[in-house]
Protein backbone atom coordinates (compact mmCIF):
# COMPACT_ATOMS: atom_id res chain seq x y z
CA UNK A 1 0.00 0.00 0.00
CA UNK A 2 2.84 2.44 0.75
CA UNK A 3 4.22 2.20 -2.80
CA UNK A 4 0.76 2.83 -4.24
CA UNK A 5 0.38 5.95 -2.07
CA UNK A 6 3.86 7.04 -3.17
CA UNK A 7 2.84 6.66 -6.83
CA UNK A 8 -0.29 8.72 -6.29
CA UNK A 9 1.64 11.56 -4.63
CA UNK A 10 4.53 11.74 -7.12
CA UNK A 11 5.44 15.08 -8.60
CA UNK A 12 5.13 14.72 -12.35
CA UNK A 13 6.35 17.28 -14.90
CA UNK A 14 3.68 18.87 -17.08
CA UNK A 15 5.51 17.68 -20.21
CA UNK A 16 4.72 14.06 -19.34
CA UNK A 17 1.55 12.63 -20.91
CA UNK A 18 -0.50 12.09 -17.75
CA UNK A 19 -3.21 10.18 -19.60
CA UNK A 20 -0.62 7.55 -20.51
CA UNK A 21 1.22 7.57 -17.17
CA UNK A 22 -2.05 7.22 -15.23
CA UNK A 23 -3.47 4.50 -17.47
CA UNK A 24 -3.43 0.80 -16.63
CA UNK A 25 -1.72 -1.66 -18.94
CA UNK A 26 -5.04 -2.57 -20.58
CA UNK A 27 -5.99 1.09 -21.03
CA UNK A 28 -2.57 1.79 -22.60
CA UNK A 29 -3.05 -1.08 -25.07
CA UNK A 30 -6.29 0.56 -26.25
CA UNK A 31 -4.78 4.07 -26.40
CA UNK A 32 -1.55 3.12 -28.16
CA UNK A 33 -1.67 0.01 -30.34
CA UNK A 34 1.49 -1.26 -32.04
CA UNK A 35 2.41 -0.28 -35.60
CA UNK A 36 0.47 -3.32 -36.83
CA UNK A 37 -2.66 -2.02 -35.08
CA UNK A 38 -2.62 -4.88 -32.58
CA UNK A 39 -2.14 -4.32 -28.83
CA UNK A 40 1.36 -4.81 -27.46
CA UNK A 41 1.86 -8.20 -25.82
CA UNK A 42 4.12 -6.72 -23.16
CA UNK A 43 4.44 -3.23 -21.67
CA UNK A 44 7.62 -2.33 -19.80
CA UNK A 45 8.44 0.86 -17.88
CA UNK A 46 11.99 2.12 -17.42
CA UNK A 47 13.54 4.83 -15.26
CA UNK A 48 16.51 6.94 -16.33
CA UNK A 49 17.25 7.88 -12.75
CA UNK A 50 19.31 11.05 -12.37
CA UNK A 51 21.70 12.23 -9.70
CA UNK A 52 24.35 14.91 -9.90
CA UNK A 53 27.92 14.19 -8.87
CA UNK A 54 31.01 16.36 -8.66
CA UNK A 55 33.71 15.61 -11.20
CA UNK A 56 37.46 16.01 -10.62
CA UNK A 57 37.20 19.79 -11.15
CA UNK A 58 34.33 20.14 -8.67
CA UNK A 59 31.76 20.78 -11.41
CA UNK A 60 28.36 19.11 -11.11
CA UNK A 61 27.70 16.51 -13.76
CA UNK A 62 24.58 14.38 -14.26
CA UNK A 63 24.82 10.65 -13.65
CA UNK A 64 22.31 7.91 -14.42
CA UNK A 65 21.82 4.65 -12.57
CA UNK A 66 22.47 1.54 -14.68
CA UNK A 67 22.04 -2.08 -13.64
CA UNK A 68 23.94 -5.06 -15.05
CA UNK A 69 21.66 -7.94 -15.98
CA UNK A 70 22.43 -11.21 -14.21
CA UNK A 71 24.45 -13.83 -16.14
CA UNK A 72 21.52 -16.29 -16.08
CA UNK A 73 19.06 -13.89 -17.77
CA UNK A 74 17.75 -15.38 -21.05
CA UNK A 75 17.88 -12.03 -22.88
CA UNK A 76 21.02 -9.88 -22.86
CA UNK A 77 22.88 -11.44 -19.91
CA UNK A 78 25.63 -9.23 -18.40
CA UNK A 79 24.40 -6.17 -20.31
CA UNK A 80 23.65 -2.86 -18.59
CA UNK A 81 20.18 -1.35 -18.62
CA UNK A 82 17.96 1.15 -16.84
CA UNK A 83 15.93 -0.05 -13.86
CA UNK A 84 12.87 -1.37 -15.66
CA UNK A 85 10.27 -4.07 -15.69
CA UNK A 86 6.97 -5.36 -16.94
CA UNK A 87 3.67 -3.69 -16.14
CA UNK A 88 1.72 -6.34 -14.23
CA UNK A 89 -2.06 -6.86 -14.54
CA UNK A 90 -2.43 -5.80 -10.89
CA UNK A 91 -0.67 -2.45 -11.39
CA UNK A 92 -3.36 0.26 -11.30
CA UNK A 93 -1.29 2.52 -13.57
CA UNK A 94 1.96 2.72 -15.49
CA UNK A 95 3.10 5.22 -12.84
CA UNK A 96 2.48 2.64 -10.09
CA UNK A 97 4.38 0.02 -12.12
CA UNK A 98 7.32 2.43 -12.53
CA UNK A 99 7.45 3.11 -8.78
CA UNK A 100 7.18 -0.61 -7.98
CA UNK A 101 9.83 -1.73 -10.48
CA UNK A 102 12.40 0.88 -9.41
CA UNK A 103 11.87 -0.04 -5.76
CA UNK A 104 12.05 -3.81 -6.43
CA UNK A 105 15.23 -3.50 -8.48
CA UNK A 106 17.10 -0.82 -6.51
CA UNK A 107 15.47 -0.35 -3.09
CA UNK A 108 15.03 3.35 -3.97
CA UNK A 109 11.75 5.28 -4.13
CA UNK A 110 10.81 7.39 -7.14
CA UNK A 111 10.12 10.93 -5.92
CA UNK A 112 9.59 12.74 -9.21
CA UNK A 113 8.96 12.02 -12.88
CA UNK A 114 10.72 14.78 -14.81
CA UNK A 115 10.24 13.87 -18.47
CA UNK A 116 9.27 11.09 -20.82
CA UNK A 117 11.71 9.73 -23.37
CA UNK A 118 11.17 7.96 -26.67
CA UNK A 119 9.83 4.45 -26.19
CA UNK A 120 11.73 1.34 -27.25
CA UNK A 121 9.70 -1.06 -29.39
CA UNK A 122 11.02 -4.57 -29.84
CA UNK A 123 10.10 -8.20 -30.45
CA UNK A 124 11.09 -11.13 -28.27
CA UNK A 125 11.18 -14.71 -29.49
CA UNK A 126 11.02 -17.83 -27.41
CA UNK A 127 11.04 -21.50 -28.39
CA UNK A 128 8.35 -23.55 -26.69
CA UNK A 129 7.42 -27.19 -27.10
CA UNK A 130 3.84 -27.70 -28.27
CA UNK A 131 1.57 -30.64 -27.43
CA UNK A 132 3.03 -32.68 -30.34
CA UNK A 133 6.56 -32.31 -28.91
CA UNK A 134 7.67 -29.90 -31.64
CA UNK A 135 9.52 -26.68 -30.94
CA UNK A 136 7.54 -23.61 -31.96
CA UNK A 137 8.88 -20.06 -31.99
CA UNK A 138 6.57 -17.60 -30.25
CA UNK A 139 7.07 -13.90 -31.02
CA UNK A 140 5.82 -11.16 -28.71
CA UNK A 141 5.73 -7.43 -29.38
CA UNK A 142 6.87 -5.22 -26.53
CA UNK A 143 7.14 -1.52 -25.81
CA UNK A 144 9.32 0.03 -23.10
CA UNK A 145 8.12 3.44 -21.94
CA UNK A 146 11.04 5.36 -20.46
CA UNK A 147 10.96 8.27 -18.02
CA UNK A 148 13.56 10.56 -16.46
CA UNK A 149 13.10 10.27 -12.71
CA UNK A 150 14.53 11.36 -9.39
CA UNK A 151 14.72 8.95 -6.47
CA UNK A 152 15.12 9.11 -2.71
CA UNK A 153 18.59 9.37 -1.27
CA UNK A 154 20.18 6.15 -0.14
CA UNK A 155 22.25 3.20 -1.21
CA UNK A 156 21.22 1.06 -4.14
CA UNK A 157 20.23 -2.45 -3.06
CA UNK A 158 19.91 -4.51 -6.22
CA UNK A 159 17.73 -7.55 -6.58
CA UNK A 160 20.44 -10.18 -7.19
CA UNK A 161 17.92 -12.51 -8.88
CA UNK A 162 17.85 -10.05 -11.79
CA UNK A 163 21.04 -7.98 -11.67
CA UNK A 164 24.66 -8.50 -10.65
CA UNK A 165 25.78 -4.88 -10.12
CA UNK A 166 24.76 -1.25 -10.24
CA UNK A 167 26.61 1.94 -11.07
CA UNK A 168 25.95 5.66 -11.34
CA UNK A 169 27.64 6.77 -14.57
CA UNK A 170 28.22 9.97 -16.49
CA UNK A 171 27.51 9.94 -20.20
CA UNK A 172 31.24 9.58 -20.96
CA UNK A 173 31.51 6.61 -18.57
CA UNK A 174 28.45 4.95 -20.13
CA UNK A 175 30.30 4.59 -23.45
CA UNK A 176 32.62 1.96 -21.98
CA UNK A 177 29.77 -0.26 -20.73
CA UNK A 178 28.13 -3.13 -22.58
CA UNK A 179 24.70 -1.66 -23.47
CA UNK A 180 22.40 -2.51 -26.38
CA UNK A 181 22.16 0.09 -29.14
CA UNK A 182 18.50 0.76 -28.33
CA UNK A 183 19.22 1.25 -24.62
CA UNK A 184 22.24 3.43 -25.43
CA UNK A 185 19.94 5.73 -27.44
CA UNK A 186 17.59 6.06 -24.45
CA UNK A 187 20.49 6.77 -22.07
CA UNK A 188 21.88 9.38 -24.49
CA UNK A 189 18.45 11.05 -24.75
CA UNK A 190 18.20 11.14 -20.94
CA UNK A 191 21.62 12.82 -20.67
CA UNK A 192 20.61 15.30 -23.38
CA UNK A 193 17.50 16.14 -21.36
CA UNK A 194 19.57 16.46 -18.16
CA UNK A 195 21.92 19.00 -19.72
CA UNK A 196 19.32 21.03 -21.62
CA UNK A 197 16.02 20.12 -19.89
Amino acid sequence: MALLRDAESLVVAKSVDLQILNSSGNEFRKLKPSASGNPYDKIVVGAATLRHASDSTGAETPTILLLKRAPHEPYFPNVFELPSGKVDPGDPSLKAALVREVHEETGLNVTEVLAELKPMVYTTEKAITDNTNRDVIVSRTAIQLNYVTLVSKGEVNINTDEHSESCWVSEAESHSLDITMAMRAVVHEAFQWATTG
Side-chain angles (χ1 to χ4, degrees), residues 41-133:
D41 296 310
K42 183 176 172 183
I43 303 166
V44 176
V45 286
T49 301
L50 286 177
R51 279 198 180 156
H52 284 80
S54 297
D55 65 15
S56 58
T57 67
E60 290 282 311
T61 184
T63 61
I64 289 180
L65 178 62
L66 294 177
L67 306 177
K68 187 175 186 181
R69 293 174 63 83
H72 63 266
E73 286 288 338
Y75 299 108
F76 303 109
N78 298 311
V79 171
F80 283 88
E81 66 179 354
L82 297 175
S84 57
K86 187 176 77 149
V87 176
D88 291 337
D91 290 323
S93 67
L94 302 182
K95 182 169 53 172
L98 183 68
V99 168
R100 177 184 54 74
E101 281 294 338
V102 170
H103 185 74
E104 286 177 2
E105 293 191 353
T106 69
L108 301 172
N109 296 314
V110 174
T111 59
E112 196 166 344
V113 178
L114 301 172
E116 63 186 281
L117 305 170
K118 291 179 187 142
M120 291 170 34
V121 177
Y122 56 96
T123 302
T124 59
E125 292 185 343
K126 184 177 183 179
I128 62 166
T129 304
D130 67 10
N131 58 0
T132 63
N133 246 4

